[in-house]
Amino acid sequence: MSLVAKTKTALDESRMLMLGAQILLGFQFHAPFQNAFSSLSPAEKALELGVLALIIGVIGLLIMPSSYHRIALAGEASGRLIALIDRVTVATLVLFAVAMGTDLGLAGARIAGAAWGAFAAFCGFVASIAIWFGPCLVRAQELAMPISDEKAPTAAKIDYVLTEARVVLPGAQAILGFQFAIVLTKEFAELTSDLKLVHGSSLALMAVATALLIAPAAYHRIVYGGRDDPDFQQVASRLILLATVFLALGISGDAYLVASMIAGHGRLSAAFGVVTATVLLGLWHAWPWLKHRQMPSA
């Protein structure tokens, strides 16, 4: 398989992981607005906040290679990108397994009691790790990882950028759906005006992010007639990178909202929102730009 094809496969696999992560992301944001959430113990609420932090970390890591590809590698096929996606995949699967096990534990405790909840958490974590990392035990030999870069044709670069838009879009979908749905809940009506304003601002940011992520498909079809035009790749790259700024700020705003509902409207919630924004913008923009500046061609 050529490096061009391997790069596309790696991006497709990141997209699959994102599709799985968006389910838990949407649930973690919805949970505090459910009727029974107030009946959870402080420990269970703390676990919910911890799982939200894990899933935001998963989303941040999964989108990072796309930003790195756009900023540091200018959309070229690259062994560096494949190696980065390999490392990100391992890290996100471990975090995903912990989050999955914790949510199964919380669900199990609500269904059958604390003992069964703990058992469900353990089984969920172990089963996830076994299924996702079990193949490592039977792999016949270490696979050689390409480290050189290869000039990709324009058609491949356009395929990459459209795939990366599809990697990022599910995260925006999960949040935007949550944002529209909760305004109709009783819990939202009882929020303070300040928290409602935070949510409204986050909703606006996420709507812009979603529009920007859909824009490459519209531009490719309407402006470029579906042609493999090199200019389109540049336009689409800028749209995706701009969308990730709005996405990071939108996620951070509602992360603050959810933290406020769990831990109270105080410093901890503010710190949670600020750290979320810092981590996401750092992963998606600061680190890729730093790597770009460190490259010999930069």
Side-chain angles (χ1 to χ4, degrees):
M1 183 185 293
S2 70
L3 185 57
V4 170
K6 286 181 179 179
T7 300
K8 177 61 166 63
T9 300
L11 291 172
D12 284 337
E13 290 166 349
S14 293
R15 183 185 170 208
M16 292 177 66
L17 290 172
M18 178 63 82
L19 291 173
Q22 73 166 335
I23 303 300
L24 284 185
L25 180 65
F27 170 73
Q28 299 309 144
F29 275 106
H30 271 278
F33 293 89
Q34 303 306 308
N35 293 333
F37 187 81
S38 59
S39 66
L40 295 181
S41 68
E44 288 174 320
K45 290 180 180 180
L47 283 174
E48 287 285 359
L49 188 59
V51 175
L52 175 60
L54 285 175
I55 293 301
I56 290 175
V58 167
I59 298 296
L61 288 171
L62 288 175
I63 293 175
M64 178 183 66
S66 295
S67 295
Y68 175 77
H69 193 206
R70 293 294 106 212
I71 294 170
L73 302 175
E76 290 288 352
S78 175
R80 295 183 183 89
L81 177 65
I82 296 172
L84 176 62
I85 291 176
D86 282 353
R87 294 192 294 270
V88 164
T89 298
V90 171
T92 54
L93 287 176
V94 173
L95 295 176
F96 208 155
V98 174
M100 181 83 76
T102 304
D103 273 338
L104 285 171
L106 290 168
R110 302 292 294 177
I111 294 169
W116 281 105
F119 180 71
F122 174 78
C123 290
F125 173 76
V126 171
S128 297
I129 291 294
I131 292 170
W132 295 335
F133 291 98
C136 295
L137 301 176
V138 297
R139 190 168 65 180
Q141 58 184 1
E142 279 299 314
L143 301 178
M145 176 58 61
I147 57 173
S148 62
D149 295 344
E150 175 183 326
K151 290 293 183 181
T154 299
K157 288 184 177 181
I158 290 174
D159 198 7
Y160 294 160
V161 76
L162 291 175
T163 299
E164 286 164 351
R166 293 194 294 270
V167 169
V168 183
L169 185 57
Q173 286 177 315
I175 302 296
L176 189 61
F178 149 77
Q179 290 174 324
F180 280 123
I182 69 161
V183 298
L184 302 177
T185 64
K186 176 183 175 182
E187 287 73 14
F188 183 81
E190 296 173 350
L191 293 178
T192 65
S193 58
D194 288 346
L195 289 178
K196 288 180 179 178
L197 180 60
V198 168
H199 179 70
S201 300
S202 297
L203 194 158
L205 289 166
M206 200 60 62
V208 173
T210 302
L212 288 169
L213 290 168
I214 293 173
Y219 271 67
H220 194 219
R221 187 54 40 199
I222 297 171
V223 178
Y224 295 94
R227 298 187 306 275
D228 295 335
D229 192 313
D231 291 340
F232 167 71
Q233 192 236 349
Q234 298 297 324
V235 171
S237 293
R238 295 188 184 102
L239 289 169
I240 292 172
L241 291 173
L242 182 59
T244 59
V245 175
F246 286 91
L247 180 62
L249 296 176
I251 290 176
S252 301
D254 272 325
Y256 167 72
L257 171 64
V258 170
S260 295
M261 295 191 67
I262 295 174
H265 191 18
R267 292 181 180 178
L268 176 61
S269 303
F272 191 80
V274 170
V275 169
T276 297
T278 302
V279 169
L280 294 182
L281 291 173
L283 288 173
W284 298 345
H285 288 273
W287 183 78
W289 279 112
L290 177 63
K291 299 300 291 184
H292 172 69
R293 290 176 61 86
Q294 290 175 347
M295 288 185 176
S297 58

